[in-house]
Amino acid sequence: MKTETMPGGDEEAGLIAETREGGMMISDNESGDVFSRSGSVTSSTPTNSTLKDGDGYCARNNINNKKKSYNFAPRESEKVTRVRRILAPILLIVAGVLSYVVYFITDRAEQDNFEDQFREDANKVAESFALDLDLTLGALDFLATNLAAEARATNQTWPYVTINDFPARVEKTRALTSSVSLQLYTYVTERQRWEDYSAEKGHQWVEETLDFQQRNDLFQEQLDSAGIFGIEDAAELFWDVIFDWDEFDKPEEDWGTVGLDPNSTGPFLPLWQASPLIPTYEGVYNWDLLSSYGPVDPVISHVINKHAVTLSDTYLINYPNGTPVWPDQEECVETFEYFVTSGEEVLEPVVDIHYPLVADSSEWASPPGMADGSYRPQEHPFAGLLLLPVYWRDFFKGILSEGHNGLILVHSGPCQPPPFTYRIDGPNLTFMGSGDHHNPKYDGMKVSMSLKELADFTFRNQLYTGFPLDDDLTCPFTLTFYPSVAMEEQHISNRPLLYTLLTIAVFVSAAAAFFVYDYFVEQRGQKLLKSAKNTDAIVSKMLPEGIRDRLYVNAEGQNDQDGRQGENSNGDMDDIMFGSGPLAELYPSATIIFIDIAGFTAWSSTREPGEVFQLLETIYSSWDNLAYKNGVLKIETVGDCYVAVAGLPEPNEKHVLAVCRFARDVLYTWDVMTQRLEVTLGPDTTHLKLRIGVNSGQVTAGILRGTMTRYQLFGDSVNTTARLQTSSEIGKIHLSQASANLLRTCGKERWLIKRSEMVTLRGKGETITYWLRPKTDRVARSKARIPPTPLPEMAPIVESSTNDDDGDDDSVESVFFQENGSNTLRQVGYSNNDVSPTKIGRLVEWNTKVLADLLSQIMAARQGDAIPDSPEAINGIESKIGAHDGTTVLEEFQEIIELPVSDRSKIVDREKTGKLPSAVLDQLRSYIQNVAAMYRNNHFHNFEHATHVASSVRKLLSRIVQVDSMEDLSGHSYGITNDPLTQFTVVLSAVIHDCDHPGIPNTTMIAEDNPLATAYKNKSIAEQHSVDLCWRMLMDDQYKDLRGCIYRSKDELLRFRQLLVNITLATDIVDKELKALRNARWEQAFSERATNDTAAEAVNRKATIVLEHLIQASDVCHTMQHWDVYKRWNEHFFFELYSTYRKGRAANDPSLNWYEGEIGFFDFYIIPLAKKLDTCGVFGVSSHEYLDYAEANRERWVEMGEECVAAWLLKYQQEQEVQGKHENGQSPVATQPTQVFASGDIV
């Protein structure tokens, strides 16, 4: 095998190329797999002979760290799979069979129930008809016997019999039989004698009948409708001759006088008495029945000759084509209309029952010989017959109960008119018309009963003892019953299908539950397997391979032992961890590295927790990748300290080389990383620096078991590394003598720089140590493997003013606002000479990002609002604002700013805000860049400090409690967090509040009679100037889209302006008059004394004063943050004022009373301000945090303040000396003074 080192020489960690049988194999991926030129993956395990200078150690180490794969219970898994394959079709077959059985049983049950109910209803109707017929015949028999007895009792001889009280006797029978009427026909053989008798008696019984009916309300309506009011109204209708239908063929004047043909010898059956009597046609009696039927018609002849009961053909019915069955049907209908109950249909089938009247029937209870057939009609004189017209419907009504609907009854016979059909729905009956109207689909279910069967039922039950129905059944009829669709629907439903579906659903649910359970069991198994793999991956990252494998072996052995003993092991971690002896080893030689982030504590005190973790996760993730690349094992992170080691658990002879390369990569990539993070995390992020310590020696390493089990390092070498790190300098890698010696053996002596002074280490005394030379630019990029990411391009920046040393003040006003009134901006570069343009660019990007997020919330909160005001109206107001005309910004100050009423539906979810239009974002960035350019080169009042204030404002705003309803408004945030425009304005005010600040107090400008002081009437000069300057720039045409996003109505514009003025002017904390006024307003807002404010005014007053104190606290936030932050900005402020003094622009030396002044500043302003933040109760934990820091900083200033002032004076003098030499053309040694903070951080 031929080994080649990639280009780069000894300085580069080049890739190792292995030439094997003419093929190029390159190992550079994380898994250690080797990629060939063909693209295939080949696993390789390089030997030590292929690795030089420790290069490739990562690949070798990770190839040896391949994870062990486990195949859990393969035979059991195969059995489960086989059972599933068999069980699935079995379940389908069982489901199909069971569903069919359920459907068949339930459907058959419904069908049987339907058929049984139909037969039951049909039989019930037939039996009821037979019983009704029996009752009707019995009533006629009783009446006939009664009439015969009356005739005998009154010594009348048939046919010359007139029954007294005939209507009263008949009405009882009619009521029992539901008949239309009842008529008595007498059998006459002597015509003349009869006609003489009828002339004598006819008027008498008619008058008696009419009198009875007039006295009975039952008939009064019928008589009135017929126009019959007395006997005189019917006298002309009394015909004393026997007649038939031929009488009406004669001349009308001869009606009732001629009668039948004189040659007719009889016999005759003239109508004699009838009830009810409605004389609507000529001749109320003496109409001959025999002349209509004929003497040979069986309907009448069987009554006369056999004394049998007969039924007539059905009449009052039409043929299906509409032709009446009976020619005189129309006249009959007119007559029946008077007999039928109101509401009943007249034109429906009717049958006449003919009952024989025998003269001696009163002498027996039952016709003699009727039972055995020995009855002889000729021995019993026939006297006449009773005719009873009955509607067929009356036999079938009221039989079935409610709910038994849809029974079809077809009445048919061989010699009667066409069949007709009834539909029976419970007690109701519907005539469906002539013809058979049943549904043919039910032909197989019909139930038929003939008249003979019905008659046999009547006599079989021995309920009737009168004359029998005609044996020959002159015209036998049949009652045929059918079910209907309506009846079937009552019984045949979709229940079988529902039951089947329910069965399927239950079965499917059960099967689904089984499969779901099986699925979840499978998923559980997969999750357990995945969890095991994830745990293995996690453990592999936390623990070295050898230790991990020993844990697995111990755990498997413990499980096997528990299984043999019948114990149920729950896989407790304690069982795994403590199932064997301690897992630790002694490594005679390893290299440890400690990396500390200097300034982290101070930086984190100004950030939100999420930002702190974002920083650490980003940094540590990058270091993890670098450690993996260089073959270094990460041990742990303790706070902001990163601990790693090389040379264990698998020995590596060149472990020191791996650690040193890792340290150099970390140090080189640090500045690039923090510059990128500053854009996201805000100012001061690039102030974070590294302090690194490296040591080699004997190490004890192992798993420290218990809660939060970790792989730990112990030994003197670890302690020495920690002390090397703390004694290191910012941005340097501190090596021990032991590590330096090992590095020399690796041929890297040129990487070492001996430290000039001895270092005292606790427990070691004075020790010689070394600096590790950092990477050079020539190889840095290839080694660090982190491609540079350029920051977003910055828009041009307007030229800011400069403050010459001679004290002349060239205000931005003179640059921005030309004499001709043009708003043209001169595009030049950055002006903060003490801060790099790259630094300013990052701060601009951060401010742009924060303000853009708030602008997105403003746009989201406006969704659904009313139509905005017109651009013309907005422009009119814009032109008036800022044109003071003798007034100042301070005069715009508002004691109460009215915030919009909180609308719960418009509370903005910051995670769901939309994206700003690109034009608005570009204009916002340009505006912030121009604002940054207008900041001067001051030590304190500069753009970096403004960004620091904006960061504090953002933090305080994020801590305000978000309200959910109007009821919570007065007790929490006073509507501040519900109005994105308010939040945007507060942050923007922080960014611009010191714009073009001259670096001298307002009092100095007043003393120097500065034109700005005169213009602003010696009040809040710098603050008013900032507002005017930035407002006029915002009104420039190039920011039209930005303004349209900030406000789009008159109310929003005015509120934006009022907030900007109030909040910016609040940063003037020196003016005693304004300070007193502000304190009075605070007392009025938060005191318990009663005020005249309305509820809304009270809330808005509190909101206004809280916003002002928020910006005040942010403006001096460094006093209420970590000591190092406070000290840094306090130094800047001291330098600014001391420089003013040294230039002769201040009368008093600030260094003489700076110490006492800071104590007073804390006592009379900072601590009271922090307490106010706590009192208003809207800033959450920040109010306590600020107060705690303020009190702690005061105490520490009391202890160290004098030393700090002395050190600052010395530092100022050194800087002046260096600057003087530079101005004289000398080349001074760059001895930049370093300031060591108490925390150990160096700035």
Side-chain angles (χ1 to χ4, degrees):
M1 178 186 300
K2 179 180 179 182
T3 302
E4 297 179 353
T5 303
M6 298 294 288
D10 200 29
E11 281 293 326
E12 297 187 0
L15 299 178
I16 303 302
E18 297 178 349
T19 304
R20 182 178 298 157
E21 297 180 0
M24 178 69 73
M25 309 290 289
I26 300 177
S27 175
D28 191 37
N29 60 324
E30 293 184 356
S31 63
D33 293 334
V34 177
F35 290 83
S36 66
R37 281 181 175 175
S38 62
S40 60
V41 180
T42 306
S43 177
S44 64
T45 307
T47 62
N48 291 337
S49 61
T50 66
L51 302 171
K52 292 184 178 180
D53 291 342
D55 292 328
Y57 169 74
C58 175
R60 182 182 69 247
N61 185 50
N62 285 284
I63 291 173
N64 293 334
N65 267 322
K66 284 187 176 180
K67 299 177 179 64
K68 179 180 179 181
S69 300
Y70 294 93
N71 189 1
F72 297 100
R75 287 178 295 179
E76 288 76 2
S77 300
E78 184 179 353
K79 290 180 181 178
V80 171
T81 302
R82 189 183 303 113
V83 169
R84 287 174 180 164
R85 292 175 179 174
I86 297 175
L87 186 60
I90 292 177
L91 289 177
L92 290 176
I93 295 173
V94 172
V97 172
L98 183 60
S99 301
Y100 174 77
V101 170
V102 169
Y103 183 85
F104 176 81
I105 292 175
T106 53
D107 182 69
R108 187 67 261 170
E110 283 194 348
Q111 188 67 31
D112 292 345
N113 185 33
F114 163 55
E115 294 177 0
D116 293 344
Q117 189 63 53
F118 161 68
R119 291 189 181 91
E120 179 182 343
D121 290 348
N123 290 328
K124 186 175 182 179
V125 172
E127 291 175 2
S128 178
F129 170 76
L131 293 175
D132 285 350
L133 182 61
D134 174 77
L135 180 62
T136 300
L137 295 179
L140 290 174
D141 179 56
F142 174 79
L143 179 62
T145 302
N146 183 274
L147 295 180
E150 175 65 18
R152 183 177 181 180
T154 56
N155 295 318
Q156 297 182 74
T157 304
W158 296 97
Y160 310 104
V161 176
T162 300
I163 304 299
N164 294 325
D165 299 325
F166 183 80
R169 299 171 189 268
V170 167
E171 285 309 311
K172 300 293 183 180
T173 303
R174 285 187 63 240
L176 290 174
T177 59
S178 300
S179 61
V180 178
S181 65
L182 195 147
Q183 302 165 11
L184 171 63
Y185 291 84
T186 57
Y187 188 71
V188 176
T189 56
E190 299 178 25
R191 176 179 176 180
Q192 187 59 47
R193 182 180 176 185
W194 170 255
E195 290 179 346
D196 292 340
Y197 177 79
S198 64
E200 176 184 356
K201 297 291 185 179
H203 291 217
Q204 178 181 348
W205 75 260
V206 171
E207 182 177 4
E208 179 183 331
T209 301
L210 290 177
D211 181 65
F212 172 81
Q213 293 178 169
Q214 288 175 342
R215 287 185 284 108
N216 196 323
D217 294 338
L218 181 64
F219 303 99
Q220 192 62 45
E221 182 180 352
Q222 288 87 340
L223 291 172
D224 291 343
S225 62
I228 305 299
F229 305 102
I231 187 64
E232 64 278 1
D233 297 321
E236 63 181 8
L237 304 179
F238 301 153
W239 295 356
D240 297 331
V241 295
I242 300 175
F243 66 93
D244 61 7
W245 296 119
D246 293 337
E247 188 74 12
F248 299 101
D249 294 332
K250 301 172 184 177
E252 186 174 350
E253 60 273 12
D254 294 335
W255 287 0
T257 60
V258 179
L260 296 175
D261 185 358
N263 297 322
S264 176
T265 59
F268 306 99
L269 271 176
L271 171 63
W272 181 230
Q273 288 182 275
S275 180
L277 179 61
I278 307 296
T280 59
Y281 55 88
E282 294 79 354
V284 297
Y285 52 84
N286 279 340
W287 180 77
D288 184 26
L289 185 62
L290 276 177
S291 65
S292 297
Y293 282 95
V296 296
D297 191 307
V299 175
I300 300 301
S301 62
H302 285 199
V303 176
I304 297 173
N305 300 324
K306 299 173 61 176
H307 295 181
V309 179
T310 62
L311 303 180
S312 70
D313 292 341
T314 299
Y315 59 96
L316 289 193
I317 182 174
N318 295 332
Y319 287 104
N321 60 6
T323 303
V325 173
W326 191 15
D328 298 316
Q329 183 168 283
E330 184 176 350
E331 292 80 2
C332 187
V333 168
E334 293 178 358
T335 302
F336 272 44
E337 286 179 350
Y338 297 102
F339 301 149
V340 175
T341 303
S342 177
E344 294 279 1
E345 181 61 40
V346 177
L347 188 59
E348 284 192 19
V350 178
V351 63
D352 289 343
I353 302 176
H354 305 95
Y355 194 87
L357 183 61
V358 180
D360 59 351
S361 61
S362 60
E363 299 178 1
W364 63 69
S366 177
M370 188 64 69
D372 55 5
S374 61
Y375 176 77
R376 298 180 181 277
Q378 61 274 18
E379 297 179 359
H380 306 280
F382 177 74
L385 62 84
L386 295 175
L387 188 147
L388 190 72
V390 181
Y391 277 97
W392 278 111
R393 66 187 178 212
D394 292 327
F395 285 106
F396 308 113
K397 289 194 302 185
I399 299 174
L400 300 181
S401 59
E402 292 286 353
H404 292 255
N405 301 328
L407 182 64
I408 304 299
L409 169 60
V410 179
H411 186 291
S412 60
C415 58
Q416 71 168 44
F420 53 89
T421 307
Y422 285 108
R423 170 172 168 156
I424 304 175
D425 295 309
N428 302 314
L429 193 74
T430 302
F431 179 60
M432 300 178 68
S434 62
D436 188 344
H437 296 287
H438 82 278
N439 193 327
K441 68 178 286 190
Y442 302 110
D443 286 347
M445 295 177 62
K446 70 178 181 180
V447 174
S448 299
M449 289 189 180
S450 64
L451 179 59
K452 180 174 177 56
E453 292 173 331
L454 296 172
D456 290 344
F457 175 82
T458 300
F459 290 102
R460 183 171 62 249
N461 288 278
Q462 298 181 353
L463 300 176
Y464 171 64
T465 59
F467 293 106
L469 284 171
D470 185 13
D471 290 338
D472 294 335
L473 300 177
T474 54
C475 188
F477 62 85
T478 301
L479 300 180
T480 306
F481 298 91
Y482 299 93
S484 65
V485 174
M487 175 178 281
E488 184 177 17
E489 288 178 350
Q490 286 183 301
H491 299 86
I492 305 300
S493 65
N494 59 354
R495 279 193 295 270
L497 180 60
L498 292 178
Y499 290 158
T500 302
L501 294 177
L502 181 61
T503 302
I504 294 175
V506 171
F507 192 87
V508 170
S509 299
F514 171 77
F515 284 115
V516 168
Y517 175 78
D518 180 71
Y519 171 79
F520 281 113
V521 170
E522 178 67 18
Q523 290 297 107
R524 173 67 174 172
Q526 293 296 329
K527 287 181 179 180
L528 290 176
L529 181 60
K530 185 178 180 180
S531 177
K533 293 180 179 179
N534 291 337
T535 302
D536 180 68
I538 294 173
V539 171
S540 297
K541 289 182 176 293
M542 296 175 61
L543 303 177
E545 176 189 3
I547 302 299
R548 180 203 64 184
D549 292 343
R550 286 176 59 184
L551 284 176
Y552 288 164
V553 171
N554 293 342
E556 292 177 355
Q558 184 66 34
N559 291 336
D560 293 340
Q561 182 179 357
D562 292 342
R564 289 191 298 271
Q565 295 177 357
E567 298 178 1
N568 184 16
S569 175
N570 57 5
D572 191 356
M573 184 58 71
D574 288 342
D575 294 338
I576 298 176
M577 289 295 182
F578 295 97
S580 62
L583 301 178
E585 293 184 16
L586 176 65
Y587 297 91
S589 181
T591 300
I592 308 102
I593 182 172
F594 275 51
I595 308 174
D596 178 65
I597 304 175
F600 174 79
T601 304
W603 181 90
S604 63
S605 70
T606 65
R607 294 303 192 278
E608 287 291 297
E611 295 175 331
V612 173
F613 273 78
Q614 182 181 355
L615 174 81
L616 294 178
E617 287 177 351
T618 304
I619 292 172
Y620 291 162
S621 177
S622 173
W623 291 354
D624 290 343
N625 292 332
L626 292 176
Y628 180 85
K629 166 184 171 291
N630 290 283
V632 175
L633 176 64
K634 173 185 176 182
I635 299 300
E636 62 179 341
T637 58
V638 181
D640 59 336
C641 185
Y642 187 95
V643 181
V645 67
L648 60 86
E650 291 187 4
N652 175 23
E653 295 179 357
K654 298 183 179 181
H655 48 77
V656 69
L657 190 61
V659 170
C660 288
R661 283 177 169 158
F662 168 64
R664 297 175 77 200
D665 285 348
V666 167
L667 190 61
Y668 176 77
T669 60
W670 178 252
D671 288 340
V672 177
M673 189 184 309
T674 54
Q675 288 172 9
R676 296 176 186 173
L677 288 172
E678 191 167 41
V679 176
T680 303
L681 301 179
D684 302 336
T685 304
T686 52
H687 293 168
L688 299 173
K689 301 299 178 182
L690 297 182
R691 187 186 291 112
I692 305 175
V694 177
N695 181 43
S696 302
Q698 179 176 287
V699 177
T700 299
I703 297 180
L704 187 61
R705 296 175 291 188
T707 304
M708 301 299 292
T709 300
R710 290 182 298 176
Y711 188 70
Q712 295 282 21
L713 305 180
F714 298 95
D716 181 67
S717 298
V718 179
N719 298 333
T720 301
T721 308
R723 295 177 183 125
L724 285 169
Q725 174 262 313
T726 56
S727 61
S728 180
E729 294 181 1
I730 294 296
K732 292 187 177 182
I733 306 171
H734 199 193
L735 268 68
S736 68
Q737 181 71 58
S739 296
N741 293 337
L742 291 176
L743 198 59
R744 290 190 181 97
T745 62
C746 294
K748 301 297 182 181
E749 184 174 2
R750 61 186 175 280
W751 287 7
L752 298 173
I753 302 175
K754 184 176 181 181
R755 190 166 183 173
S756 58
E757 71 278 4
M758 301 285 284
V759 176
T760 301
L761 302 179
R762 189 176 62 181
K764 298 290 184 179
E766 291 188 348
T767 306
I768 298 176
T769 57
Y770 295 83
W771 301 119
L772 183 65
R773 191 184 303 275
K775 282 187 175 182
T776 62
D777 292 339
R778 182 173 64 87
V779 296
R781 296 196 184 279
S782 63
K783 298 293 286 181
R785 300 289 175 87
I786 298 181
T789 302
L791 291 170
E793 294 183 0
M794 301 292 110
I797 306 298
V798 299
E799 181 181 11
S800 176
S801 63
T802 58
N803 192 9
D804 298 334
D805 292 341
D806 58 1
D808 293 339
D809 183 14
D810 294 333
S811 172
V812 174
E813 185 88 18
S814 62
V815 176
F816 184 77
F817 303 109
Q818 305 297 324
E819 293 181 359
N820 58 5
S822 174
N823 286 347
T824 303
L825 301 180
R826 288 189 288 151
Q827 309 296 328
V828 294
Y830 289 94
S831 63
N832 283 325
N833 298 328
D834 58 337
V835 181
S836 68
T838 304
K839 171 75 171 180
I840 292 295
R842 293 195 297 270
L843 298 181
V844 166
E845 282 302 311
W846 181 85
N847 283 286
T848 302
K849 176 182 178 298
V850 172
L851 291 171
D853 179 64
L854 293 172
L855 278 179
S856 299
Q857 296 180 40
I858 292 175
M859 296 180 65
R862 288 195 188 119
Q863 295 180 2
D865 284 352
I867 300 175
D869 295 337
S870 64
E872 294 77 12
I874 297 294
N875 293 336
I877 300 174
E878 289 177 343
S879 63
K880 295 179 181 179
I881 297 177
H884 297 299
D885 298 330
T887 62
T888 62
V889 175
L890 183 61
E891 295 175 22
E892 297 182 42
F893 175 81
Q894 298 288 328
E895 186 174 349
I896 299 177
I897 299 177
E898 182 179 354
L899 298 185
V901 178
S902 177
D903 186 350
R904 184 176 182 177
S905 63
K906 294 183 180 180
I907 295 177
V908 179
D909 185 352
R910 297 183 180 181
E911 300 297 329
K912 298 181 181 180
T913 55
K915 188 177 181 180
L916 279 181
S918 58
V920 175
L921 186 60
D922 292 341
Q923 292 178 21
L924 176 62
R925 181 181 290 111
S926 172
Y927 181 76
I928 299 302
Q929 288 170 343
N930 287 322
V931 169
M934 289 190 292
Y935 271 87
R936 304 194 186 192
N937 299 329
N938 301 322
H939 289 278
F940 184 82
H941 294 95
N942 53 36
F943 185 67
E944 185 177 9
H945 177 258
T947 304
H948 185 78
V949 175
S951 176
S952 178
V953 168
R954 178 169 172 262
K955 178 178 179 180
L956 286 175
L957 284 175
S958 67
R959 295 291 177 89
I960 296 180
V961 180
Q962 182 79 30
V963 299
D964 290 333
S965 65
M966 283 295 296
E967 289 75 13
D968 297 329
L969 185 61
S970 61
H972 291 89
S973 68
Y974 314 116
I976 297 173
T977 56
N978 295 324
D979 182 25
L981 178 58
T982 298
Q983 301 173 55
F984 173 84
T985 309
V986 176
V987 177
L988 182 63
S989 300
V991 175
I992 71 169
H993 78 285
D994 280 334
C995 187
D996 196 38
H997 195 287
I1000 59 176
N1002 288 332
T1003 55
T1004 302
M1005 285 194 286
I1006 296 173
E1008 294 176 351
D1009 199 18
N1010 189 293
L1012 288 178
T1014 303
Y1016 294 114
K1017 301 178 182 180
N1018 298 330
K1019 290 287 186 181
S1020 303
I1021 302 167
E1023 292 76 17
Q1024 294 190 71
H1025 179 58
S1026 298
V1027 173
D1028 270 342
L1029 200 62
C1030 296
W1031 182 267
R1032 294 178 189 179
M1033 184 171 65
L1034 181 62
M1035 293 300 109
D1036 191 78
D1037 290 341
Q1038 66 173 314
Y1039 302 119
K1040 180 180 178 180
D1041 295 334
L1042 175 60
R1043 295 196 305 273
C1045 185
I1046 298 174
Y1047 52 82
R1048 64 173 190 172
S1049 67
K1050 175 183 176 181
D1051 292 339
E1052 288 183 343
L1053 170 57
L1054 294 178
R1055 187 167 78 253
F1056 172 61
R1057 173 67 179 187
Q1058 291 168 0
L1059 286 168
L1060 192 71
V1061 169
N1062 272 43
I1063 295 170
T1064 305
L1065 294 182
T1067 59
D1068 183 6
I1069 64 175
V1070 178
D1071 191 299
K1072 295 181 179 180
E1073 182 179 346
L1074 292 178
K1075 183 175 183 295
L1077 178 61
R1078 198 173 294 117
N1079 290 338
R1081 291 169 55 233
W1082 176 276
E1083 290 298 325
Q1084 183 179 357
F1086 289 96
S1087 67
E1088 298 181 358
R1089 296 192 304 269
T1091 63
N1092 295 326
D1093 291 344
T1094 64
E1097 289 175 346
V1099 170
N1100 287 325
R1101 182 184 297 277
K1102 291 180 179 180
T1104 304
I1105 197 67
V1106 165
L1107 289 173
E1108 294 174 5
H1109 281 73
L1110 183 149
I1111 192 66
Q1112 287 177 346
S1114 300
D1115 194 26
V1116 293
C1117 62
H1118 62 280
T1119 63
M1120 294 176 279
Q1121 292 173 345
H1122 191 271
W1123 165 258
D1124 293 341
V1125 177
Y1126 161 67
K1127 190 175 179 181
R1128 171 176 171 242
W1129 286 109
N1130 194 17
E1131 176 186 351
H1132 289 328
F1133 193 36
F1134 173 82
F1135 273 28
E1136 182 171 295
L1137 294 185
Y1138 190 73
S1139 176
T1140 302
Y1141 165 72
R1142 292 294 297 268
K1143 293 176 182 179
R1145 304 185 69 178
N1148 299 321
D1149 183 357
S1151 64
L1152 299 180
N1153 62 350
W1154 194 269
Y1155 172 74
E1156 294 81 4
E1158 281 294 298
I1159 295 176
F1161 189 53
F1162 273 110
D1163 291 341
F1164 298 106
Y1165 184 75
I1166 298 300
I1167 293 178
L1169 179 60
K1171 290 181 178 179
K1172 286 183 178 180
L1173 297 181
D1174 192 20
T1175 301
C1176 68
V1178 300
F1179 297 108
V1181 297
S1182 287
S1183 56
H1184 306 293
E1185 174 188 351
Y1186 277 27
L1187 180 59
D1188 292 342
Y1189 271 126
E1191 293 174 343
N1193 287 337
R1194 182 198 181 280
E1195 293 179 5
R1196 197 161 184 182
W1197 177 257
V1198 171
E1199 297 176 2
M1200 303 178 60
E1202 293 177 334
E1203 297 178 6
C1204 290
V1205 173
W1208 296 341
L1209 283 172
L1210 178 61
K1211 180 178 179 181
Y1212 183 84
Q1213 294 172 3
Q1214 292 175 348
E1215 289 182 352
Q1216 292 301 312
E1217 291 177 0
V1218 172
Q1219 183 177 358
K1221 292 180 180 180
H1222 180 74
E1223 292 174 354
N1224 294 328
Q1226 301 180 17
S1227 301
V1229 179
T1231 57
Q1232 180 179 357
T1234 59
Q1235 179 180 349
V1236 182
F1237 290 168
S1239 63
D1241 294 352
I1242 299 179
V1243 178

